[in-house]
Amino acid sequence: MTTRHWHPRLTRALAVGSLVAFAVSACATGGPAPAADAAVAAGADLEIRNELGQTPLVAATKANSIEIALRLLDAGADPNAKDSIEDSAFLYAGAEGFNEILLATLTHGADVTSLNRFAGTALIPASEHAHVETVRILIDAGVPLDHMNNFGWTALHEAIVLGDGGEGAAQVVRMLLEAGADPRLPSGGGDSPRNLAAGEGYWNLVAVMDQFLAGWARRRAEPRPEYLRVGVRWHHYGPTIVPPLPA
């Protein structure tokens, strides 16, 4: 039985984060995942940077090298470490819809409030690109819904302005609204989400918002439920009476 020895260049390529070149070279020697294990076992610095400021995890994420990224995360790589253009594994996976890596970064402590170079959350570009399942993951993870980036846009604004107005965009708009995104919040330019959609000619998105806004206005006009008016606060273990709320 032949004992396999990993070429030193492969270990170094992983260690400095050149995952694209590494993955190509590794194909001739048994695949990238075993080499990743070998590099980690050899004590490779998980947070070392390449010329782009990328850690091995960021480089693996940008190459969508799922196996390598997962192994690096399991070994303790930082999901929040950013490269020279402010991309972390979490932010980039969210923006590009790399859901397996995204879920793993969340499991390993990704900061859901972290911001990219545009001062935006991961949810904003995910919404722009209509990555429906990614948006669902990020909403469930607690990424702020109404955070506004340097362009004056929230996730809802970008889903409209930079999206294609298709069915994916409609699903994302609906999901954001149902999750609690503010349908009245104006963009940095002063336009409401509905007006932005109308301005783009995305009448399907206008219809989604009109339907939501009609229900939203109706709910706001309804009398408060009895338990709110008499001041009953619900806990997971049952109700507790508190002083009555103001009329």
Side-chain angles (χ1 to χ4, degrees):
M1 182 176 180
T2 303
T3 301
R4 173 162 298 179
H5 298 284
W6 297 104
H7 194 285
R9 286 199 311 166
L10 295 180
T11 301
R12 175 162 176 74
L14 177 63
V16 300
S18 301
L19 264 298
V20 177
F22 164 79
V24 173
S25 300
C27 290
T29 53
D37 290 338
V40 171
D45 183 354
L46 297 178
E47 305 305 327
I48 199 168
R49 309 284 177 142
N50 65 8
E51 67 279 3
L52 300 177
Q54 299 170 342
T55 64
L57 177 58
V58 172
T61 301
K62 290 196 168 185
N64 198 22
S65 296
I66 296 170
E67 282 191 87
I68 291 178
L70 300 189
R71 288 169 189 254
L72 289 169
L73 283 163
D74 286 341
D78 183 1
N80 300 308
K82 296 181 179 180
D83 63 14
S84 58
I85 58 171
E86 298 295 301
D87 285 333
S88 68
F90 165 70
L91 288 168
Y92 194 85
E96 297 300 321
F98 296 163
N99 292 337
E100 289 184 70
I101 297 177
L102 176 63
L103 286 166
T105 64
L106 289 166
T107 299
H108 289 84
D111 177 6
V112 298
T113 66
S114 60
L115 304 179
N116 58 29
R117 61 189 176 279
F118 306 114
T121 64
L123 182 60
I124 295 177
S127 299
E128 170 197 336
H129 298 145
H131 295 315
V132 175
E133 184 57 31
T134 307
V135 169
R136 183 177 291 110
I137 291 168
L138 293 170
I139 289 173
D140 289 346
V143 177
L145 297 173
D146 290 327
H147 175 86
M148 192 170 286
N149 64 17
N150 285 342
F151 298 106
W153 291 331
T154 66
L156 183 56
H157 297 140
E158 283 215 6
I160 298 165
V161 176
L162 298 181
D164 62 3
E167 178 54 32
Q171 288 185 61
V172 167
V173 166
R174 191 176 297 112
M175 289 166 57
L176 290 169
L177 291 171
E178 290 175 351
D182 189 343
R184 306 161 302 172
L185 187 65
S187 67
D191 294 306
S192 70
R194 187 190 187 284
N195 286 347
L196 289 171
E200 296 290 335
Y202 295 153
W203 301 111
N204 59 327
L205 302 188
V206 171
V208 169
M209 282 182 283
D210 281 348
Q211 182 181 27
F212 178 84
L213 285 166
W216 183 76
R218 187 169 55 251
R219 288 190 297 273
R220 285 173 60 86
E222 291 172 352
R224 287 183 296 181
E226 181 67 20
Y227 72 85
L228 285 179
R229 286 189 284 112
V230 301
V232 177
R233 179 176 297 148
W234 284 86
H235 298 281
H236 67 278
Y237 47 80
T240 299
I241 304 298
V242 297
L245 298 178

